[in-house]
Short mmCIF file of all heavy atoms in Angstrom, two decimals:
data_model
loop_
_atom_site.label_atom_id
_atom_site.label_comp_id
_atom_site.label_asym_id
_atom_site.label_seq_id
_atom_site.Cartn_x
_atom_site.Cartn_y
_atom_site.Cartn_z
N GLU A 68 -2.88 14.79 -11.89
CA GLU A 68 -3.74 15.23 -12.95
C GLU A 68 -5.09 14.61 -12.80
O GLU A 68 -6.16 15.29 -13.14
CB GLU A 68 -3.25 14.89 -14.36
CG GLU A 68 -2.15 15.77 -14.76
CD GLU A 68 -1.65 15.44 -16.10
OE1 GLU A 68 -2.30 14.73 -16.85
OE2 GLU A 68 -0.49 15.83 -16.41
N SER A 69 -5.25 13.34 -12.23
CA SER A 69 -6.47 12.66 -12.15
C SER A 69 -7.26 12.87 -10.79
O SER A 69 -8.40 12.54 -10.72
CB SER A 69 -6.21 11.12 -12.30
OG SER A 69 -5.52 10.67 -11.32
N ARG A 70 -6.60 13.62 -9.92
CA ARG A 70 -7.26 13.81 -8.60
C ARG A 70 -8.19 14.94 -8.68
O ARG A 70 -8.02 15.89 -9.51
CB ARG A 70 -6.15 13.97 -7.48
CG ARG A 70 -5.53 15.33 -7.47
CD ARG A 70 -4.46 15.46 -6.42
NE ARG A 70 -3.68 16.56 -6.60
CZ ARG A 70 -3.70 17.73 -5.97
NH1 ARG A 70 -4.64 17.89 -4.93
NH2 ARG A 70 -2.89 18.76 -6.21
N GLY A 71 -9.15 14.92 -7.80
CA GLY A 71 -10.10 16.06 -7.72
C GLY A 71 -9.40 17.21 -6.88
O GLY A 71 -8.49 16.95 -6.21
N MET A 72 -9.81 18.37 -7.11
CA MET A 72 -9.17 19.51 -6.45
C MET A 72 -9.48 19.55 -5.00
O MET A 72 -8.86 20.28 -4.25
CB MET A 72 -9.69 20.84 -7.08
CG MET A 72 -9.28 21.05 -8.55
SD MET A 72 -7.54 20.62 -8.93
CE MET A 72 -6.64 21.78 -7.84
N ASP A 73 -10.45 18.75 -4.54
CA ASP A 73 -10.72 18.65 -3.10
C ASP A 73 -9.96 17.58 -2.38
O ASP A 73 -10.17 17.32 -1.22
CB ASP A 73 -12.27 18.45 -2.81
CG ASP A 73 -12.66 17.20 -3.55
OD1 ASP A 73 -12.12 16.74 -4.55
OD2 ASP A 73 -13.77 16.68 -3.10
N VAL A 74 -9.00 16.90 -3.19
CA VAL A 74 -8.21 15.83 -2.59
C VAL A 74 -6.77 16.26 -2.63
O VAL A 74 -6.23 16.73 -3.65
CB VAL A 74 -8.40 14.59 -3.48
CG1 VAL A 74 -7.49 13.38 -2.92
CG2 VAL A 74 -9.80 14.05 -3.42
N GLY A 75 -6.06 16.13 -1.45
CA GLY A 75 -4.75 16.48 -1.36
C GLY A 75 -3.86 15.55 -2.13
O GLY A 75 -4.27 14.29 -2.34
N LEU A 76 -2.68 15.97 -2.54
CA LEU A 76 -1.78 15.11 -3.35
C LEU A 76 -1.26 13.88 -2.55
O LEU A 76 -1.30 12.84 -3.08
CB LEU A 76 -0.57 15.96 -3.82
CG LEU A 76 0.46 15.13 -4.66
CD1 LEU A 76 -0.10 14.48 -5.89
CD2 LEU A 76 1.57 16.04 -5.09
N ALA A 77 -0.98 14.11 -1.30
CA ALA A 77 -0.50 13.05 -0.48
C ALA A 77 -1.53 11.91 -0.38
O ALA A 77 -1.30 10.75 -0.49
CB ALA A 77 0.02 13.48 0.92
N SER A 78 -2.85 12.40 -0.10
CA SER A 78 -3.93 11.47 0.02
C SER A 78 -4.12 10.68 -1.29
O SER A 78 -4.33 9.47 -1.37
CB SER A 78 -5.20 12.21 0.40
OG SER A 78 -5.12 12.64 1.66
N ALA A 79 -4.05 11.40 -2.44
CA ALA A 79 -4.24 10.84 -3.73
C ALA A 79 -3.13 9.79 -4.05
O ALA A 79 -3.44 8.70 -4.59
CB ALA A 79 -4.23 11.85 -4.86
N LEU A 80 -1.90 9.98 -3.63
CA LEU A 80 -0.80 9.03 -3.77
C LEU A 80 -1.02 7.83 -2.97
O LEU A 80 -0.85 6.72 -3.41
CB LEU A 80 0.53 9.72 -3.40
CG LEU A 80 0.95 10.88 -4.35
CD1 LEU A 80 2.17 11.53 -3.80
CD2 LEU A 80 1.24 10.37 -5.71
N ARG A 81 -1.48 8.00 -1.74
CA ARG A 81 -1.75 6.90 -0.87
C ARG A 81 -2.83 6.03 -1.42
O ARG A 81 -2.77 4.75 -1.47
CB ARG A 81 -2.05 7.32 0.50
CG ARG A 81 -0.96 7.82 1.39
CD ARG A 81 -1.40 8.12 2.79
NE ARG A 81 -0.39 8.75 3.58
CZ ARG A 81 -0.17 10.06 3.78
NH1 ARG A 81 -1.00 10.96 3.19
NH2 ARG A 81 0.81 10.51 4.53
N VAL A 82 -3.96 6.64 -1.85
CA VAL A 82 -5.11 5.91 -2.42
C VAL A 82 -4.68 5.13 -3.65
O VAL A 82 -5.07 4.04 -3.90
CB VAL A 82 -6.33 6.82 -2.65
CG1 VAL A 82 -7.35 6.13 -3.42
CG2 VAL A 82 -6.85 7.33 -1.31
N HIS A 83 -3.87 5.71 -4.51
CA HIS A 83 -3.34 5.13 -5.68
C HIS A 83 -2.57 3.91 -5.32
O HIS A 83 -2.82 2.76 -5.93
CB HIS A 83 -2.51 6.03 -6.57
CG HIS A 83 -2.04 5.47 -7.77
ND1 HIS A 83 -2.80 5.47 -8.92
CD2 HIS A 83 -0.89 4.77 -8.16
CE1 HIS A 83 -2.17 4.83 -9.98
NE2 HIS A 83 -1.04 4.39 -9.44
N VAL A 84 -1.71 3.91 -4.40
CA VAL A 84 -0.92 2.73 -3.95
C VAL A 84 -1.85 1.68 -3.41
O VAL A 84 -1.72 0.55 -3.84
CB VAL A 84 0.14 3.21 -2.83
CG1 VAL A 84 0.71 1.94 -2.19
CG2 VAL A 84 1.19 4.02 -3.49
N LEU A 85 -2.75 2.03 -2.60
CA LEU A 85 -3.71 1.04 -2.10
C LEU A 85 -4.52 0.36 -3.16
O LEU A 85 -4.57 -0.87 -3.18
CB LEU A 85 -4.66 1.75 -1.03
CG LEU A 85 -5.70 0.83 -0.43
CD1 LEU A 85 -5.09 -0.33 0.42
CD2 LEU A 85 -6.63 1.71 0.46
N THR A 86 -5.04 1.15 -4.04
CA THR A 86 -5.84 0.66 -5.14
C THR A 86 -5.06 -0.33 -6.03
O THR A 86 -5.51 -1.32 -6.46
CB THR A 86 -6.43 1.71 -5.99
OG1 THR A 86 -7.24 2.62 -5.07
CG2 THR A 86 -7.30 1.24 -7.09
N HIS A 87 -3.82 0.07 -6.35
CA HIS A 87 -2.92 -0.72 -7.16
C HIS A 87 -2.67 -2.04 -6.64
O HIS A 87 -2.87 -3.02 -7.27
CB HIS A 87 -1.58 0.05 -7.34
CG HIS A 87 -0.53 -0.78 -7.99
ND1 HIS A 87 -0.39 -0.82 -9.42
CD2 HIS A 87 0.35 -1.59 -7.57
CE1 HIS A 87 0.58 -1.68 -9.71
NE2 HIS A 87 1.13 -2.15 -8.64
N PHE A 88 -2.39 -2.11 -5.31
CA PHE A 88 -2.16 -3.41 -4.66
C PHE A 88 -3.32 -4.22 -4.43
O PHE A 88 -3.35 -5.49 -4.43
CB PHE A 88 -1.20 -3.24 -3.30
CG PHE A 88 0.18 -2.92 -3.78
CD1 PHE A 88 0.60 -1.58 -3.69
CD2 PHE A 88 1.09 -3.86 -4.28
CE1 PHE A 88 1.95 -1.29 -4.06
CE2 PHE A 88 2.35 -3.52 -4.70
CZ PHE A 88 2.79 -2.25 -4.48
N GLN A 89 -4.43 -3.61 -4.16
CA GLN A 89 -5.72 -4.33 -4.07
C GLN A 89 -6.10 -4.92 -5.46
O GLN A 89 -6.48 -6.10 -5.44
CB GLN A 89 -6.91 -3.31 -3.69
CG GLN A 89 -6.88 -3.03 -2.20
CD GLN A 89 -8.02 -2.03 -1.83
OE1 GLN A 89 -8.38 -1.14 -2.63
NE2 GLN A 89 -8.35 -2.13 -0.61
N ARG A 90 -5.90 -4.27 -6.48
CA ARG A 90 -6.22 -4.79 -7.82
C ARG A 90 -5.24 -6.00 -8.17
O ARG A 90 -5.66 -7.06 -8.71
CB ARG A 90 -5.99 -3.79 -8.96
CG ARG A 90 -7.17 -2.77 -9.04
CD ARG A 90 -6.93 -1.94 -10.23
NE ARG A 90 -7.89 -0.77 -10.17
CZ ARG A 90 -7.59 0.45 -10.45
NH1 ARG A 90 -6.37 0.79 -10.89
NH2 ARG A 90 -8.50 1.46 -10.40
N ARG A 91 -4.01 -5.84 -7.79
CA ARG A 91 -3.06 -6.91 -7.98
C ARG A 91 -3.49 -8.16 -7.14
O ARG A 91 -3.48 -9.29 -7.77
CB ARG A 91 -1.65 -6.54 -7.57
CG ARG A 91 -0.60 -7.59 -7.73
CD ARG A 91 0.63 -7.24 -7.05
NE ARG A 91 1.41 -6.34 -7.85
CZ ARG A 91 2.55 -5.86 -7.54
NH1 ARG A 91 3.13 -6.25 -6.39
NH2 ARG A 91 3.28 -5.06 -8.34
N GLN A 92 -3.90 -7.95 -5.94
CA GLN A 92 -4.46 -9.05 -5.13
C GLN A 92 -5.65 -9.71 -5.71
O GLN A 92 -5.73 -10.86 -5.76
CB GLN A 92 -4.68 -8.55 -3.67
CG GLN A 92 -4.95 -9.69 -2.79
CD GLN A 92 -3.86 -10.68 -2.51
OE1 GLN A 92 -2.67 -10.21 -2.55
NE2 GLN A 92 -4.13 -11.91 -2.20
#
Side-chain angles (χ1 to χ4, degrees):
E68 286 180 17
S69 67
R70 72 182 168 106
M72 295 314 300
D73 58 334
V74 177
L76 179 57
S78 294
L80 294 170
R81 286 184 184 98
V82 169
H83 182 85
V84 166
L85 177 62
T86 302
H87 173 85
F88 287 103
Q89 284 177 330
R90 283 185 191 141
R91 180 189 282 178
Q92 186 65 31

